[in-house]
Amino acid sequence: MTDAMHALVIDRTGGPDELRLAEVPRPIRVSDEVVVRVIAAGVNPIDAKTRAGRGVSAAIGAYPAVLGNDFAGIVETVPYAGHPLQPGDRVYGAARPPRTPGAYAEFVTVSSMSVAPMPASLGFVEAAALPIAALTAWGAVVDVARVHDGQRVLVHAGAGGVGHLAVQLAAYFGAHVTATCGPANVGFVEGLGARRVIDYRSERFELVAGEQDVVIDLIGNVKDDTGTRSLEVLRKGGLIVNVPTGSWPGMADEAAARGIRSTGYSCSPDARTLTVLTRLVDDGALRVHVDRELPLADGAEAHRLVEGGHVRGKVVLRVAPDPE
């Protein structure tokens, strides 16, 4: 093996066209880390925000920088002979750019605690769409909101990357799920298990949703004051979980003034939770939708799609062909 690899990089923050293919050094494995040969890499809003100079761009230590959190691929190197993961295993997980080079590359080096065997029922492209979105949905719906049977839960952006998984998880745990989405996605979101789907272009959700116990807010106030309006449908003592970073700076004060609990949420890559999600996928209780698969060289187009805000499910970059 050589010590170089091809990767999609940025030399500075800016627009999508800052992304370019380059040859860079392969990341060096240390401690508990494993090296994974990347087959596919998911594209997330945090990737686009970081590329644009927001997100976690302040932590970029040097350029060129390799972005990309989600990946699915083949284990190349492990810390020791008896490690639970072995060379040749099919795995998926989440990298930690810009602390370390990300998954828009032929190889990624990640902590063993952030990677797990991928679902047997999925191919690499579908598996690469799952980690950050599914872990975020699980964290918001299960770890934070503790959604359970009989609750009324509203999920905004129910057709999006996190949203289409959050709808399924809330329904799986017995909630009466209401979701918002655009008109083209109403049937799709109904098929995920939402009992009521509100087309946000034709109806004001706060007028028709009824009282809710929990709101999973995947929009915030960056569009039509969705976060603030969500407080109108929550019961006293209900909970709003806001996910997009920086999308609603005044949430805590606004919610407290109405007697509503509130919190943000940041995804924590965790192999144990990935293993639970794997079982749900292989049991048919959770499915992931890939809207577009693009080659790594088309990373700029992938970022434009994600920033456009109308992706159904996820966009995934194909880094390498499936192994034979």
Side-chain angles (χ1 to χ4, degrees), residues 204-291:
R204 301 290 283 183
F205 70 83
E206 68 271 27
L207 301 180
V208 297
E211 188 175 74
Q212 303 289 317
D213 298 294
V214 175
V215 172
I216 306 298
D217 173 24
L218 304 174
I219 299 175
N221 272 359
V222 296
K223 184 174 182 181
D224 201 19
D225 289 332
T226 298
T228 296
R229 290 163 52 213
S230 297
L231 300 178
E232 298 182 28
V233 304
L234 278 162
R235 64 170 175 80
K236 184 85 64 174
L239 173 68
I240 185 163
V241 183
N242 171 259
V243 174
T245 305
S247 64
W248 186 9
M251 174 184 66
D253 290 339
E254 289 187 50
R258 293 174 178 250
I260 291 167
R261 295 174 295 137
S262 67
T263 183
Y265 181 75
S266 295
C267 175
S268 178
D270 177 12
R272 293 169 300 181
T273 305
L274 279 174
T275 300
V276 174
L277 292 164
T278 294
R279 288 200 297 268
L280 291 176
V281 170
D282 283 341
D283 288 345
L286 185 68
R287 65 184 190 271
V288 62
H289 181 83
V290 175
D291 192 321

Side-chain angles (χ1 to χ4, degrees), residues 8-15 17-24 51 60 62-67:
L8 192 67
V9 306
I10 57 171
D11 298 303
R12 60 186 177 184
T13 57
D17 289 332
E18 295 297 335
L19 290 159
R20 67 178 180 90
L21 283 176
E23 189 172 87
V24 299
R51 184 221 71 233
I60 296 175
Y63 293 100
V66 183
L67 304 180

Side-chain angles (χ1 to χ4, degrees), residues 5-74:
M5 65 178 184
H6 290 97
L8 192 67
V9 306
I10 57 171
D11 298 303
R12 60 186 177 184
T13 57
D17 289 332
E18 295 297 335
L19 290 159
R20 67 178 180 90
L21 283 176
E23 189 172 87
V24 299
R26 281 182 53 173
I28 298 172
R29 192 200 68 76
V30 298
S31 188
D32 75 319
E33 292 174 343
V34 298
V35 178
V36 177
R37 177 161 55 93
V38 179
I39 304 299
V43 180
N44 292 288
I46 188 62
D47 303 343
K49 289 180 181 179
T50 300
R51 184 221 71 233
R54 304 187 307 276
V56 293
S57 62
I60 296 175
Y63 293 100
V66 183
L67 304 180
N69 288 269
D70 289 337
F71 65 85
I74 306 292

